[in-house]
Amino acid sequence: MARPSAPPLLALSGVFKRFGAVQALTDVELEIHAGEVIALVGDNGAGKSTLVKVIAGVEPADTGTLEWQGRPIHIGRPHDAQHLGIATVYQDLALCDNLDVVGNLFLGREITRIGVLNEVEMERRTRDLLATLSIRIPDVHRPVASLSGGQRQTVAISRALLGAPSLVMLDEPTAALGIEQTAQVLDLVERLRERGLGVLLISHNLGDVKAVADWVAVLRLGRNNGFFDVTTTSQEQIVSSITGASDNAVTRRAAREGEL
Amino acid sequence: MSIPGGSSAHGAERFTSAFGRRVGGGTFGAVPVLLGLLAIWITFQILNPHFLSPRNLSNLSVDIVGTGMIAVGVIFVLLIGEIDLSVGSVSGLASALFAVLNVNFGMPEPPAIVLGALCGTAVGFVHGFFTAVVGVPAFVVTLAGLLGWYGLMLSIMGAYGTINLDDQGLVAQLTNYYFSDVAAAYALAALGTSGYFLIAWRDVKRRRAAGVPTRAPVWIAVRTGVLAVLAFAAAYVLNQFQGLPLALLIFLAVLVILDYVLRRTAYGRMIFALGGGVEAARRAGINVAWVRTSAFMMSSTMAAIGGLFLASRINSVSQTSVSTDLLMNAIAAAVIGGTSLFGGRGSTWSALLGVLVIQSIASGVALMDIQTAVQFMITGGVLLLAVVIDTLSRRAQRAHGRA
């Protein structure tokens, strides 16, 4: 699979991030194009979440170059990322259990007229959004506490999509889900790609990665450790790249081919 | 989901499915407390035929107002998942301040009333500051408030002992004035019923225009019908005695306004959001510290206003105005009425229902001339039952989510 030649949605290069004595990210680079799903994989502590936080503006990079659609940009706080059109769904979802689906989707950005909620308009937009994503929620007025884990995840992702972002970052969206629910969420990820969004998917599950991702970016000890085309790379190669057992002539050649 | 068809069979089916969903989803709403209230009324009526007399019911409707006002404020704090133990002391403090300013310093009533209420607001701000900004658990902050504000009230009252209020004054009229014209109570019933219907109907029209599924018209008709029966029955009973009490009118107005604030405004949504997940609220950009503080300010302000109604009922303020019963009754009323102790679920109407249950028990026990010990035991049992229902419904909801 060839990568498109248009400037990438987001390009990072030479990103460094240090927390006290810990060098979390060292000279990391990454390119995300529109209409691509990039899986970000790596062992615990490899710097996946740190990289997501850098992009989301929660923990800005110490140094590094970020380009958005070819233009150099600076992301210093979450607002900057949101303004560019970068939406992040964290692992803990951050939903209010007692509010219904509509309430959660619009939490903090309710449609109001002189302080009074416009429930009808919010519900209409919720239904439109869920319909375009082919998400089936039995009742948008049910508190999200009574939804299944997969449905909660889709609500959280829908919430991120409400601002019409161009890039969506998903932190372990399937970690706590059963098989059927995982399938629902992966379907949703594919639909995001079909709509032309860039998706950065953090996952521990290489099965999921092989199923939906176009490219796999491996981080190891805070450094890039390979960028693979999912269709031509075996799971073993990815695993050995994650664990560091890959540092031999064969994998170096494979990695080089992947980058070319 | 399709746009509503409107055939009555379809409507009835949606009516039952909506009911099933509520029970299945773990929100029983007001059904348990209404059944409980009915059981209490029937029991006391059998034991004493004077219980459901217009005189007793009319007195009941005025007796509930003071504690009910305090309970409404407590609901704001319960909704954000906190507790306010100081409401009894604050209500005493506010009424003491009012009485001293008005009677002993000769300040006219309106400014004295406003100062009394604002004193509650200020107290709430202090509680909110220590809870939301400093981060001390609300339980401890308001426990300190319970002691501290009681002490302040004693020191204000210290020199005077008991202060009798002006019989003809504004505060005295709060619970002593009745709209004796028969039309008043019926007009209020008609206004409430038609207002409810018009708002619900406008909602249906707006939803249809936007192509969003609506509540079944049958559902609106049933609810309007039930409301009409209750409202006109209450009006009829009140007119058998002295007419519509001013206190009840004010209480109902406060309930309607605050219910609107909680359910229909962005501010109310923030209150609920805090009760459902502080972290989610924070990430959604809600100013958590401010919303928390405002809930404590609501609680203490309503406690102060409730204190004025309680003072009005006995036409005096004394050092014994603050009883531990008051605090317990206000919190118990909110919980019995269906507001969750776990935060995030509830409505201002639970103050009305809960305080009706508590005052009905008190009134029934008083009529039968049995010891107040029995009253405490019954109220305690009812409170426990209410919390059990709250806990079970919460658990049912979680189980529903996992299924």
Side-chain angles (χ1 to χ4, degrees), chain A residues 92 98 117-118 123 138-139, chain B residues 1 21 207 212 264 272 344:
Chain A
D92 63 357
N98 59 331
L117 300 174
N118 187 345
E123 183 174 340
D139 179 1
Chain B
M1 281 195 203
R21 211 164 45 228
R207 284 173 169 270
V212 176
R264 297 284 180 178
F272 276 100

Side-chain angles (χ1 to χ4, degrees), chain B residues 380-392:
Chain B
V382 171
L383 175 62
L384 183 64
L385 189 66
V387 180
V388 167
I389 291 174
D390 179 23
T391 309
L392 289 182

Side-chain angles (χ1 to χ4, degrees), chain A residues 218 220 225-226 228 236-255:
Chain A
V218 181
R220 178 168 152 72
N225 201 31
F228 305 106
E236 288 73 22
Q237 273 176 298
I238 300 174
V239 170
S240 57
S241 186
I242 292 171
T243 56
S246 61
D247 205 12
N248 58 50
V250 178
T251 50
R252 280 196 175 188
R253 285 184 63 226

Side-chain angles (χ1 to χ4, degrees), chain B residues 109-392:
Chain B
E109 277 194 297
I113 291 174
V114 170
L115 279 178
L118 284 182
C119 146
T121 315
V123 164
F125 180 78
V126 172
H127 292 165
F129 175 79
F130 282 105
T131 308
V133 180
V134 182
V136 183
F139 180 82
V140 183
V141 172
T142 57
L143 184 61
L146 169 94
L147 300 169
W149 306 122
Y150 179 58
L152 185 59
M153 178 240 179
L154 287 184
S155 74
I156 288 178
M157 294 293 295
Y160 306 105
T162 300
I163 301 175
N164 290 314
L165 303 178
D166 174 12
D167 290 353
Q168 299 304 315
L170 210 55
V171 167
Q173 292 302 315
L174 280 179
T175 58
N176 292 323
Y177 185 81
Y178 289 79
F179 296 93
S180 51
D181 189 340
V182 181
Y186 288 125
L188 181 65
L191 188 74
T193 311
S194 56
Y196 175 81
F197 179 76
L198 285 177
I199 287 172
W201 188 245
R202 201 184 64 130
D203 191 52
V204 167
K205 281 207 294 194
R206 283 184 55 208
R207 284 173 169 270
R208 285 200 175 147
V212 176
T214 59
R215 208 172 241 173
V218 184
W219 187 233
I220 294 174
V222 168
R223 293 179 77 147
T224 308
V226 170
L227 183 65
V229 169
L230 289 177
F232 280 95
Y236 174 78
V237 171
L238 291 174
N239 278 336
Q240 298 301 303
F241 188 55
Q242 292 181 347
L244 175 67
L246 174 65
L248 184 64
L249 178 68
I250 297 175
F251 186 40
L252 291 176
V254 165
L255 288 177
V256 168
I257 292 169
L258 292 183
D259 181 53
Y260 189 84
V261 167
L262 279 180
R263 287 193 307 121
R264 297 284 180 178
T265 66
Y267 171 72
R269 189 53 62 82
M270 289 187 223
I271 293 269
F272 276 100
L274 243 63
V278 174
E279 188 52 32
R282 200 188 311 276
R283 287 208 208 140
I286 291 172
N287 186 340
V288 172
W290 182 83
V291 176
R292 262 201 191 134
T293 306
S294 75
F296 281 99
M297 287 164 74
M298 269 313 294
S299 171
S300 297
T301 307
M302 291 310 297
I305 293 171
L308 293 177
F309 275 89
L310 290 170
S312 164
R313 194 75 179 127
I314 52 173
N315 232 351
S316 68
V317 176
S318 73
Q319 291 184 343
T320 55
S321 285
V322 177
S323 63
T324 46
D325 292 12
L326 181 58
L327 163 69
M328 290 306 155
N329 281 346
I331 295 178
V335 175
I336 290 173
T339 292
S340 174
L341 271 176
F342 305 106
R345 275 193 299 132
S347 126
T348 54
W349 295 101
S350 50
L352 174 66
L353 295 174
V355 79
L356 263 178
V357 168
I358 288 178
Q359 286 295 341
S360 296
I361 296 169
S363 154
V365 168
L367 271 184
M368 289 167 59
D369 205 19
I370 36 181
Q371 296 164 336
T372 47
V374 180
Q375 178 196 335
F376 283 128
M377 288 191 275
I378 299 176
T379 311
V382 171
L383 175 62
L384 183 64
L385 189 66
V387 180
V388 167
I389 291 174
D390 179 23
T391 309
L392 289 182

Side-chain angles (χ1 to χ4, degrees), chain A residues 90 92 94-99 103 107-108 110 112-113 115-120 123-124 127 138-139 141-143 145-148 159, chain B residues 1 21 25 203 206-207 210 212-213 260 263-266 269 272-273 275-277 279-281 283-284 286 344-345 397-398 400-401 403:
Chain A
Y90 294 98
D92 63 357
L95 297 175
C96 284
D97 274 350
N98 59 331
L99 296 184
L107 184 62
E110 288 87 359
T112 57
R113 281 181 306 192
V116 177
L117 300 174
N118 187 345
E119 295 269 10
V120 177
E123 183 174 340
R124 194 184 64 74
R127 288 180 187 276
D139 179 1
H141 288 298
R142 195 182 265 190
S146 66
L147 297 180
S148 72
R159 175 172 158 73
Chain B
M1 281 195 203
R21 211 164 45 228
D203 191 52
R206 283 184 55 208
R207 284 173 169 270
V212 176
Y260 189 84
R263 287 193 307 121
R264 297 284 180 178
T265 66
R269 189 53 62 82
F272 276 100
E279 188 52 32
R283 287 208 208 140
I286 291 172
R345 275 193 299 132
Q397 197 174 52
R398 300 261 157 181
H400 204 72

